[in-house]
Every structure is written in C-alpha cells, then in structure tokens.
Amino acid sequence: METDQNAESSNAMAHDLVGLGIIVAAVLMFVATGSSVLSDFLLLIRTGTPPREPMLGVALILNVALLLFGWRRYVDLTREVGQRRLAEATAHRLAHTDPLTGCLNRRSVGPALEDMIRTARTTGHEVVVVMMDLDNFKRSNDAHGHQAGDAILLQSAQRIRSILPDRSIMARLGGDEFAFAAIYDPDHVEAIDRLMARISIGVAKPVEADGVMLEVTASFGLATSAGRASFEISGLAARLMHRADLAMYQAKKSGRNRYCWFEQNMESELRFRSELERGIRDGIPRGEFIPYYEKQIDLDTGELTGFEMLARWKNPEHGLLSPELFIPIAEEIGLISELSESLIRRALSDARDWDPKLTLSVNISPLQLRDPWFAQKLLKLLVEANFPPHRLDIEITETCLHENIGVVRTLITSLKNQGIRISLDDFGTGYSSLAQLRTLPFDQIKIDRFFVSSLGSSSDSATIIEAISSLGKGMNLPITAEGIESAEVLAAIRKFGSFKGQGFLYGQPSDAEGVRSILADNHLLAAAAESPAPVDPAVPQSVTKSLPRAASA
C-alpha cells in the first residue's frame, strides 16, 4: 500500500513539473521573440518601415497561445492532483479506521500500539493494553435490531474515548470487540484500576435507541508491557493483545461485567482448552464418548425404576473425563448436538436389552432446544433402535424456560405427541413460574441435588423441598430427588412424601457392561424379565449394590 502511494505521489509530482516546464518554456520564448517584434512594431508606427522579420509576429501570437495553453494545463493538473491526494487521504482513512465508530481497526492498531510502546519507554513509562467485549450484545442486537446495536457500539466507543487519558489509542476489532491502550507510570499501577472503574461505570450506563433504554455491560482483559523489556517491540505488541484477550475470556468465565489482569496460567489453560477442542472434534467419530448410567430408585419400595444417562469421555491421554469439563466446550464450538445424538444412539441400544419396565432418562442441552428439527431427530433415533418412546424420559433444565418459553412449549408438545415423557430438571434453581408449570405438560419434577444433599445442614433446603413436594402433590406431578448420598439424607427426604431418588447411596454411575451385569444378577434383562425381590431402601442391597466408581476429570 505504501509503495503504491509513493508511486502515485511521484506521478503527481512529475505532472506538476511537466505543466510548470511548459509555462517556463513559453515565457522564455515570449521574452525572446517579444522584444524583436515590439521594436519592429514601434518602428512601423514612427516611420512606416515594414517589419524586418514578419514571421516573428506570427511566432509571438503562437507563443501567447502556448502560454495560455500551458497555464490552463497547469491549473487542470494542479486540480487533478489535489483531488487525487484527497481521494488517497480518504482511502487511507477508510483502510485504517472503523467507519461506524471512527476508531482504529484491526489492521492499524498493531503499528499504533508499537509506536505507543516506543514513545512510552523513552520517558520511563509503560503501556497497558485492554481488550473489551460487550456482554450479551448479540442477544440485544437480535432483539432490538441492528440500528440499536450500532447505537450501543457508537455510544460505548464515545464514552470510553472521553474517559481515556491523552495519547491513548482505541480500536474496534470487529463485532462488539474493542481494544484500547494507555500510557501509565509503572510506580502508580493503581491508576489503571481507577481508570477501569470509571470506564466500567461509563459503559454500563443505559443506551437509548428508538425510545428504548438498553442495558449494557462489558468484560475487560488487561495486560501490561512492564517487565517485558527483552521483547522486540513488534512482537511485544502482538503478545500484549493476545494476553489481554485471554484475560478478557477469563472475565467472561468469571461472570462478565468485570475486568481481569492477565496471569501466566491463563496461557496453559488456553492450550489445554485448545487440546480439548481438537479432542472433541476427533473423539466423536471415534466413539470416545460413552454413556454411563445412574440408577433411579422408588424410595417407597426400593425397586429399581430406571437409569439416567450421563456422558463420559474416554480420552486417550487423560482417561475418563466428566461432562462438566467437555460439555460446555462442545456447546461453544457447536458440536453439542452431534455429541448428544451419538450418546443417545448408544444409550437406546443399551437400554433396549433392559427389562421393559425400566426407563431411560436423557438430559438435553439448552442449545438443542433451539433446533426446530430436534423432535424429528430424536424420533429417528428411536425408530433406528426400535426403542419404545414411552420408556424414554427427556430432561429439560428449568433455565431453558426462561430463555425461550415459546420454543420449549412447541418442542414439549411435539415430543409428548410421540409418547415421550418430559421431566423438568434442576427444579428450584431457575425462573419457572407456576403458570409455566401449569401450561407446560411435564410428566415429573426433579429437585436439584444442591437442595437434597444439604438437607441435614440447611433448614432452607428442607423448606424448599417441602414446598416442592406440596406443589407436586397439588399438580399431580411425580418428584425425583437427585443427590441422595447418605442414609441420613434418604431418611430426611422420605419425610416429605413419596419420591423417586438417585444418588451415590445406590452406587456410582456405571458403563453399559456394569449395568448389564447388575441387571442380569437381578433378572432384569429383557430376555429374563422377572420381578426382583423388594429391598429395604434405607439399606441398599442386590439392585443397589455398589457399582464401579467412574473416574473424575
């Protein structure tokens, strides 16, 4: 780009010189011929003597014409060069700035940051680089339109620029992601904390767009050039932006609407996350993700009623990993549907050999509920496995109701029409209302394990469980209690009514082979379906004997 601009400037200068040369040549010729022609003209007037050289008059006229032509050409060239230089300046501005906010863009922020670091170090100062991402911007943009989104971006940029100290730079990197940098005194790092507090407050002020007040918050990541004197300036600028980006990601993980300084362990965490992302992409087609099963027990009779499928990852390098580690990553990289469908396919195949009275419960990611074809995909899996729909229980978390109640209602209705049972999972942790429970055709409620496991130590948990139990009785909804891990918790939960339950008291989750072995011992395989002898639910025996412990992440 700079080479092209230099070439165009050289061409413009050459055109200027050509026009100027024509004028100079015309003036010299005018002076040379004009003196002779003027002398002959004066002699003609005084004495009537004809000109000695008549052609000089013609030459003078031509010379005057050439002079006028040269001047006109020079004016035209000057105007053309001026317009070209203005166009070059406009193109340069568009190439290096964001058209909406007027900030620098991704292309120009690197060189600007390098210059800032050089300038700061000449005076013994350092530079702090900040990466910023607006929280939930996409949701606001989708809900209120792109004009509202543009208003948020523009006002956020203007507010930050008004707060930043002199000699600071700011760039919009794309979408709702910004970067800015400021020079500071390394002996007064607390000034950066004060600056970030002012910026956070400024960004969080509501933005008005088309008469609607929009709430805005942002997450920030900070990295400093202090202690990096050994780095080349060019490499340091890119490294600081990378580190600030890692810190911003940590701020989002920590709850958003905050700022985080870069810490060294963030890079190792990023490398591990990248490794997990590659492992998930490769592991799904390889069949590394397998279903484990946790028993569900009728607390009144102690009989086994079914299993809940839990995801596990048999990672070749790290062993058996729990879903808390890989499910969020699979959701973020868009592979949760493919992963879930592969697990459900295997679980349906396993459960097909169980006693027909045993059910299979499966958790569904909130992202899968946004898929309008999810019900059809699930029905296809049932047909492929030849599995009765009434034995399948789909668990939907309570937070899904808050995100999009209309989509959830459509999905539940579609699944119910196929004979599939629907459970409301993690009840008590989300935002569902009594009206939603009344209008949505759930088959059962599952109490979140947090309330169950803390029964012995929290009176609030007991009050909540009692309320949920009364609600279930009033709405004729069966209740399953998760997280029963001791005989004391079991005794406490049975005081509130008739429940189903699951938890480590009845054994650790097991893989398909372990489940099959236990079912065979209790005559609960489809080929030999016999009713097992009842057992005391307070003292797990036979069906509730211990299963192999699943490895943790």
Side-chain angles (χ1 to χ4, degrees):
M1 173 65 77
E2 293 181 357
T3 303
D4 294 341
Q5 292 176 348
N6 293 335
E8 292 178 359
S9 299
S10 300
N11 292 336
M13 185 179 295
H15 289 156
D16 287 350
L17 293 176
V18 169
L20 186 60
I22 293 174
I23 295 174
V24 171
V27 170
L28 292 176
M29 290 179 64
F30 179 80
V31 172
T33 59
S35 59
S36 298
V37 171
L38 184 59
S39 299
D40 287 348
F41 180 70
L42 293 175
L43 184 62
L44 176 63
I45 294 175
R46 291 175 182 174
T47 64
T49 304
R52 291 169 294 177
E53 303 234 4
M55 294 302 296
L56 286 176
V58 177
L60 180 61
I61 295 173
L62 292 176
N63 186 245
V64 171
L66 181 61
L67 184 63
L68 294 174
F69 171 77
W71 176 254
R72 179 63 180 273
R73 178 62 176 161
Y74 177 75
V75 171
D76 290 343
L77 285 173
T78 301
R79 183 185 302 112
E80 180 182 346
V81 170
Q83 293 173 345
R84 182 174 300 174
R85 286 173 176 167
L86 179 61
E88 290 174 4
T90 302
H92 183 271
R93 176 175 55 81
L94 293 175
H96 292 80
T97 61
D98 173 57
L100 175 63
T101 62
C103 300
L104 299 176
N105 59 18
R106 183 181 293 274
R107 176 179 182 178
S108 57
V109 65
L113 181 56
E114 293 172 9
D115 293 340
M116 172 178 276
I117 296 174
R118 292 190 187 95
T119 302
R121 289 190 167 175
T122 58
T123 58
H125 289 76
E126 297 293 345
V127 171
V128 59
V129 177
V130 184
M131 299 289 283
M132 180 190 83
D133 191 85
L134 297 176
D135 300 328
N136 301 317
F137 174 77
K138 185 179 185 302
R139 181 182 301 175
S140 177
N141 200 38
D142 293 342
H144 302 285
H146 293 292
Q147 288 186 342
D150 288 348
I152 292 175
L153 294 173
L154 181 57
Q155 291 196 35
S156 297
Q158 291 174 343
R159 292 171 181 176
I160 294 173
R161 272 200 298 244
S162 67
I163 298 172
L164 287 174
D166 295 338
R167 298 189 298 168
S168 299
I169 61 174
M170 184 172 182
R172 181 187 175 200
L173 305 182
D176 61 332
E177 188 175 7
F178 292 83
F180 51 91
I183 297 174
Y184 75 99
D185 186 343
D187 294 330
H188 298 282
V189 181
E190 69 278 0
I192 300 299
D193 293 317
R194 292 195 298 268
L195 175 65
M196 292 307 304
R198 292 176 58 203
I199 290 176
S200 297
I201 294 173
V203 171
K205 293 179 180 178
V207 174
E208 183 177 0
D210 295 331
V212 179
M213 301 303 293
L214 305 176
E215 299 293 332
V216 182
T217 60
S219 299
F220 305 87
L222 286 70
T224 175
S225 61
R228 303 286 185 269
S230 60
F231 284 89
E232 292 290 336
I233 296 295
S234 58
L236 178 57
R239 192 173 185 85
L240 288 178
M241 292 187 66
H242 172 67
R243 291 186 165 188
D245 193 50
L246 294 179
M248 181 191 70
Y249 179 77
Q250 184 63 38
K252 283 190 170 294
K253 284 177 57 179
S254 301
R256 306 175 187 268
N257 190 25
R258 67 194 63 209
Y259 69 91
C260 288
W261 283 91
F262 169 80
E263 296 178 0
Q264 197 65 43
N265 63 330
M266 292 180 183
E267 285 188 313
S268 59
E269 289 179 4
L270 179 64
R271 285 193 294 269
F272 181 61
R273 175 187 168 85
S274 299
E275 179 184 339
L276 290 181
E277 287 185 9
R278 290 192 300 270
I280 292 172
R281 296 182 190 278
D282 297 337
I284 294 176
R286 292 175 182 170
E288 295 176 4
F289 295 90
I290 59 175
Y292 265 53
Y293 303 97
E294 184 176 58
K295 288 180 289 184
Q296 297 176 325
I297 305 295
D298 185 324
L299 300 187
D300 289 337
T301 65
E303 291 186 354
L304 180 69
T305 62
F307 292 88
E308 178 180 351
M309 185 199 78
L310 306 174
R312 295 291 186 268
W313 181 8
K314 278 191 173 180
N315 187 279
E317 297 182 13
H318 304 288
L320 198 63
L321 303 182
S322 67
E324 291 80 8
L325 187 63
F326 60 84
I327 290 296
I329 298 177
E331 290 179 335
E332 290 182 21
I333 63 178
L335 292 178
I336 187 61
S337 294
E338 184 179 352
L339 172 59
S340 178
E341 289 170 19
S342 68
L343 286 168
I344 294 174
R345 181 179 289 107
R346 296 184 66 168
L348 292 176
S349 177
D350 294 338
R352 186 176 53 196
D353 297 333
W354 303 343
D355 189 294
K357 71 178 183 180
L358 299 179
T359 61
L360 172 67
S361 298
V362 176
N363 284 285
I364 298 300
S365 165
L367 296 181
Q368 291 178 270
L369 297 180
R370 302 175 187 173
D371 182 1
W373 299 103
F374 173 73
Q376 286 76 7
K377 293 177 180 178
L378 188 59
L379 180 61
K380 179 182 178 182
L381 293 175
L382 288 169
V383 172
E384 290 177 354
N386 192 27
F387 192 83
H390 70 273
R391 291 181 58 196
L392 180 63
D393 190 340
I394 295 297
E395 298 183 1
I396 298 176
T397 59
E398 188 179 6
T399 53
C400 295
L401 305 185
H402 178 65
E403 291 185 2
N404 197 330
I405 185 64
V407 172
V408 173
R409 180 180 287 109
T410 301
L411 175 64
I412 290 178
T413 302
S414 178
L415 295 177
K416 290 280 291 183
N417 290 340
Q418 304 298 332
I420 299 172
R421 293 169 51 84
I422 308 295
S423 295
L424 181 58
D425 196 17
D426 298 338
F427 187 71
T429 62
Y431 308 91
S432 59
S433 65
L434 295 180
Q436 290 171 341
L437 286 177
R438 184 174 57 84
T439 57
L440 295 174
F442 288 110
D443 293 292
Q444 73 168 337
I445 297 173
K446 299 192 71 174
I447 305 177
D448 185 70
R449 66 177 59 249
F450 171 79
F451 301 115
V452 176
S453 60
S454 60
L455 258 181
S457 58
S458 172
S459 59
D460 291 339
S461 294
T463 302
I464 292 173
I465 292 177
E466 184 178 11
I468 295 175
S469 176
S470 299
L471 178 65
K473 293 175 182 177
M475 301 186 68
N476 197 28
L477 286 174
I479 298 176
T480 296
E482 300 179 297
I484 301 176
E485 300 180 0
S486 67
E488 292 76 17
V489 170
L490 174 62
I493 197 73
R494 293 181 67 186
K495 294 178 182 178
F496 297 107
S498 298
F499 292 88
K500 290 182 180 179
Q502 61 187 83
F504 294 163
L505 177 65
Y506 299 102
Q508 295 287 333
S510 179
D511 61 10
E513 289 301 319
V515 169
R516 187 177 180 85
S517 175
I518 290 208
L519 294 181
D521 290 344
N522 290 274
H523 310 288
L524 288 174
L525 291 176
E530 297 180 5
S531 299
V535 297
D536 185 354
V539 184
Q541 303 174 14
S542 62
V543 172
T544 58
K545 67 183 180 181
S546 177
L547 294 177
R549 179 177 297 273
S552 60

